[in-house]
Amino acid sequence: MEPASFPVGNATIMYFGEHISDRAWLLGRAVAVEAERTVVLDVPPRLPADVWNEVLKYFPRKPVRVVAAHVGAEEVQRMGRWLATRLGYAVLISTGMPELSGRIGWFRVEPAPAEPVRKRPQPGRWWRRAA
């Protein structure tokens, strides 16, 4: 399953399958112009895990805002962390659900920190070990 992209309004919609969903199309039209490029992910609910690596090939190598058209609020943070870690920079991400003000709410997600390298403890003198 290969992703395809199409410019809509101020966003680029990345979709899978034969056509863009109505929700993704409306979100693409509703996104305001910003300095960051906006990508609307029209992701089917049961996307195979190996397809996500293909998705990364289409992302710009500069700051990006991502609207996940069909991803629930509980999954947005986890998806944002995964994208930010793989892309190597912070990502602004949204579910596309408007807040009370009518504007789309955004979350800034930083890449996951690298695992610290644990050093082996140096063997000490016998009196250091006894203390």
Side-chain angles (χ1 to χ4, degrees):
M1 183 183 304
E2 285 285 318
S5 63
F6 188 78
V8 174
N10 298 314
T12 300
I13 298 181
M14 189 178 303
Y15 63 99
F16 298 84
E18 298 175 11
H19 65 282
I20 298 170
S21 71
D22 292 340
R23 178 166 167 71
W25 186 271
L26 291 172
L27 287 169
R29 299 290 301 166
V31 170
V33 176
E34 291 291 332
E36 295 91 2
R37 185 170 170 194
T38 302
V39 176
V40 176
L41 286 177
D42 193 4
V43 180
R46 301 282 185 241
L47 187 66
D50 60 332
V51 175
W52 280 101
N53 291 324
E54 291 297 315
V55 170
L56 288 178
K57 293 178 184 177
Y58 291 88
F59 268 84
R61 297 293 173 213
K62 59 182 180 178
V64 66
R65 297 184 313 169
V66 178
V67 181
H70 305 289
V71 177
E74 64 281 350
E75 292 293 318
V76 166
Q77 290 287 347
R78 189 165 54 129
M79 186 179 85
R81 175 62 56 99
W82 186 87
L83 283 170
T85 300
R86 297 304 184 284
L87 294 171
Y89 55 80
V91 172
L92 290 174
I93 192 158
S94 175
T95 60
M97 296 301 293
E99 296 176 340
L100 294 176
S101 65
R103 298 180 67 184
I104 295 175
W106 296 96
F107 301 98
R108 180 180 174 90
V109 183
E110 298 288 334
E115 290 288 323
V117 178
R118 294 186 176 202
K119 294 184 179 180
R120 277 186 46 196
Q122 295 293 325
R125 304 264 181 191
W126 66 270
W127 62 80
R128 287 189 191 152
R129 287 182 282 190

